[in-house]
């Protein structure tokens, strides 16, 4: 898949290549992918994703071969800075969804939402269309399907002919779905976006701006949803590994 990390301008964090892009540069790349044709994979890589990739060679290869892996989260920015990178801002799945919807309203890009609990992707699409009138959501499907339904869902996505497919199944399942259905879905860009539809539907509230600004969004999520502990406990693990990394 894709041109791979070799042709990208990446900083390597714990063996995982992350593109040194700002939000605007990431959006430019996504718009170029739409023009190019073919299917491109975009990974929004947070500290948790990097820990998963470190422990799982298949997932690490998938990120290395992606077309774009964006720096998502304060932990990744901090680790990148330690390596002398000039990455300045996080490029998260939630922000990409919102900006691509805004672009869709101007340029007509066709967008498909796959993932989250039944009704949530649809509601997220409605809310975003209210905010960005003309935003072109061409299909939605929830993310609680059986493995044997994967082909049927991929075919439904292909029939909707999306330019951009957002997949919110959690990491690494969303990226694996994109990889395995890539020959079928025909979306020009497919992006794994974690819990984004929950945010836009109003199911989960984003942290107050002040908490985001001081990089404590993870704490907010944990307070609202203690089942996220497994994910949050990867954060100190990430920090310890980065501090011990001499590569
Ligand atoms: N989800 C899904 N199908 C599943 C499991 C999870 O669609 O079988 C959805 C879940 O409803 C949520 C998203 O995947 O909307 C995962 O969000 P999370 O913030 O946990 O993702 P991460 O940031 O860990 O990738």
């Amino acid at each position: 898949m894709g041109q791979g990390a070799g042709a990208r301008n990446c900083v390597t964090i714990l063996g995982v290549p992350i593109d040194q892009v700002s939000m605007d540069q990431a959006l430019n790349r996504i718009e170029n992918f739409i023009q190019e044709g073919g299917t491109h994979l975009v990974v929004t890589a947070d500290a948790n994703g990097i820990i998963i990739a470190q422990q799982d060679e298949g997932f690490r290869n998938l990120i290395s071969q992606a077309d774009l892996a964006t720096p998502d989260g304060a932990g990744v920015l901090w680790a990148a800075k330690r390596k002398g990178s000039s990455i300045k801002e996080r490029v998260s799945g939630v922000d990409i969804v919102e900006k691509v919807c805004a672009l869709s309203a101007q340029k007509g890009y066709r967008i498909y939402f796959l993932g989250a609990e039944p009704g949530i992707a649809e509601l997220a699409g409605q809310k975003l269309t209210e905010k960005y009138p003309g935003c072109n959501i061409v299909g939605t499907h929830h993310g609680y399907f059986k493995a044997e339904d994967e082909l049927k869902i991929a075919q439904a996505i292909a029939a909707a002919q999306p330019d951009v497919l957002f997949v919110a199944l959690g990491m690494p399942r969303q990226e694996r779905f994109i990889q395995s259905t890539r020959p079928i879905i025909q979306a020009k860009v497919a992006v794994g976006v974690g819990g984004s539809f929950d945010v836009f539907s109003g199911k989960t509230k984003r942290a107050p701006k002040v908490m985001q600004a001081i990089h404590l969004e993870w704490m907010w999520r944990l307070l609202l949803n203690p089942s996220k502990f497994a994910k949050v406990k990867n954060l100190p693990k990430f920090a310890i590994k980065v501090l011990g990394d001499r590569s």
Side-chain angles (χ1 to χ4, degrees), residues 147-211:
E148 58 261 36
D149 292 333
E150 201 170 283
L151 177 63
K152 211 173 64 194
I153 288 167
Q155 286 166 338
I157 295 168
Q161 299 185 302
D163 294 308
V164 183
L165 166 67
F166 288 119
V167 187
L169 301 174
M171 219 173 209
R173 194 174 153 219
Q174 57 202 19
E175 288 77 15
R176 294 226 164 88
F177 173 88
I178 295 167
Q179 189 183 40
S180 66
T181 61
R182 185 178 168 233
I184 303 160
I185 52 176
Q186 292 185 35
K188 302 200 181 82
V189 190
V191 193
V193 293
S196 297
F197 304 159
D198 295 335
V199 171
F200 291 113
S201 70
K203 185 170 177 266
T204 56
K205 298 262 173 285
R206 250 195 123 170
K209 286 253 179 313
V210 55
M211 246 171 140

Side-chain angles (χ1 to χ4, degrees), residues 229-247:
F229 184 70
K231 202 167 127 184
V232 170
K233 86 177 181 338
N234 272 340
L235 292 175
K237 199 188 238 179
F238 177 79
I240 289 164
K241 283 182 186 249
V242 169
L243 289 171
D245 180 24
R246 299 272 167 264
S247 67

Side-chain angles (χ1 to χ4, degrees), residues 49-154:
I50 291 176
I51 288 292
I52 297 173
Q54 236 217 342
Q55 293 162 352
D56 176 340
E57 194 186 349
F59 190 54
R60 195 159 64 241
N61 289 339
L62 189 151
I63 299 185
S64 299
Q65 287 157 22
D67 296 275
L68 178 65
T70 68
D72 181 0
V76 175
L77 257 54
W78 165 75
K81 200 167 171 197
R82 280 181 61 87
K83 291 219 127 183
S85 166
S86 57
I87 300 178
K88 286 190 186 59
E89 58 181 352
R90 55 182 293 205
V91 182
S92 69
V94 176
D95 291 336
I96 292 178
V97 171
E98 175 143 16
K99 304 260 182 194
V100 169
C101 285
L103 282 173
S104 164
Q106 292 166 20
K107 304 189 183 183
Y109 296 142
R110 301 170 65 82
I111 301 175
Y112 196 104
F113 282 0
L114 170 67
E117 286 169 12
I120 297 293
E122 208 178 346
L123 189 56
Q126 279 167 15
K127 294 260 166 91
L128 282 158
T129 311
E130 277 163 25
K131 189 162 179 192
Y132 301 105
C135 166
N136 194 11
I137 312 266
V138 294
T140 62
H141 196 289
H142 68 79
Y144 289 81
F145 52 86
K146 298 194 194 88
E148 58 261 36
D149 292 333
E150 201 170 283
L151 177 63
K152 211 173 64 194
I153 288 167

